[in-house]
Amino acid sequence: MKNILIISGHPDLGTSVANATILEEIEKALPEAAIRRLDSLYPDYRFDIAAEQAALLKADIIVLQFPFSWYAMPGLLKLWLDQVFRHGFSHGSKGKLGGKKLLFSFTTGAPAAAYRKDGPMQHTVEDYFPAFASTAALCNLDFVPPIYTCGLSYTARDDDAAINAQKEQARAHAARLIAKIGEIAA
């Protein structure tokens, strides 16, 4: 299989149910995948740029896994992107990432019904994809349509039924993500 790199952009996986479960499922199904948990690697948000760029250079498939935050990636992942995807490395005439596949995988807190033109968000989830696609295009990366699951909001930690339901949704998300990785790795 090709080299798979998962960048976990959740700002605090220790409090996560969904994103933590997704990563656990990926670890079980794809033990050869490299998973970089930004929150534990860089709790001070000070990235080792050389290490992050080296990991990206080894990868054939790059997956950004995160909770959708204010209609985009969370601050930790955005800062990582700002600092690691530098001109001359990720893009520009000397860009080094071209030809790799880029897949965004995320969860939303709001349910799918909220992401309608006539709903509270006034946009579909797909309406937010152009920024992701533009990032891929600028870096000459092959944009893979995102995998996402809506309605995985924070669940009270004393409600076992709600936590288990959220974990089931996260496992279903992980299964779709793993299948997509297998498809694009072929």
Side-chain angles (χ1 to χ4, degrees):
M1 183 170 267
K2 301 200 181 219
N3 292 323
I4 302 159
L5 174 64
I6 314 289
I7 303 293
S8 168
H10 194 294
D12 185 3
L13 273 171
T15 63
S16 171
V17 172
N19 277 258
T21 300
I22 291 165
L23 292 173
E24 289 167 10
E25 294 297 308
I26 290 171
E27 281 179 319
K28 284 190 263 182
L30 303 171
E32 71 282 1
I35 300 177
R36 299 187 65 78
R37 292 170 174 81
L38 298 181
D39 69 320
S40 60
L41 285 171
Y42 307 109
D44 59 359
Y45 285 40
R46 292 178 173 207
F47 306 109
D48 180 338
I49 305 301
E52 296 306 308
Q53 289 179 343
L56 287 162
L57 289 174
K58 289 180 192 171
D60 300 303
I61 299 169
I62 302 162
V63 178
L64 302 182
Q65 175 63 50
F66 58 94
F68 206 52
S69 177
W70 289 103
Y71 319 105
M73 59 184 73
L76 173 64
L77 186 56
K78 176 62 168 80
L79 184 62
W80 176 88
L81 190 73
D82 289 345
Q83 293 185 8
V84 175
F85 277 54
R86 293 181 175 170
H87 185 269
F89 171 73
S90 63
H91 61 286
S93 63
K94 296 180 182 178
K96 298 174 176 82
L97 297 181
K100 298 174 185 291
K101 301 201 181 307
L102 179 62
L103 171 57
F104 291 80
S105 170
F106 60 91
T107 59
T108 74
Y115 289 99
R116 294 188 326 242
K117 298 287 183 188
D118 63 347
M121 307 306 179
Q122 300 180 357
H123 294 278
T124 66
V125 172
E126 292 80 7
D127 287 343
Y128 299 99
F129 290 2
F132 300 154
S134 292
T135 297
L138 177 65
C139 299
N140 201 26
L141 292 159
D142 296 334
F143 179 72
V144 179
I147 303 288
Y148 67 91
T149 300
C150 295
L152 291 172
S153 64
Y154 182 83
T155 299
R157 297 305 190 246
D158 59 355
D159 184 342
D160 289 339
I163 290 169
N164 288 333
Q166 194 175 42
K167 285 182 177 181
E168 279 307 308
Q169 285 181 283
R171 286 186 194 103
H173 177 107
R176 291 191 340 251
L177 177 58
I178 292 161
K180 179 56 74 175
I181 291 169
E183 177 187 316
I184 63 177

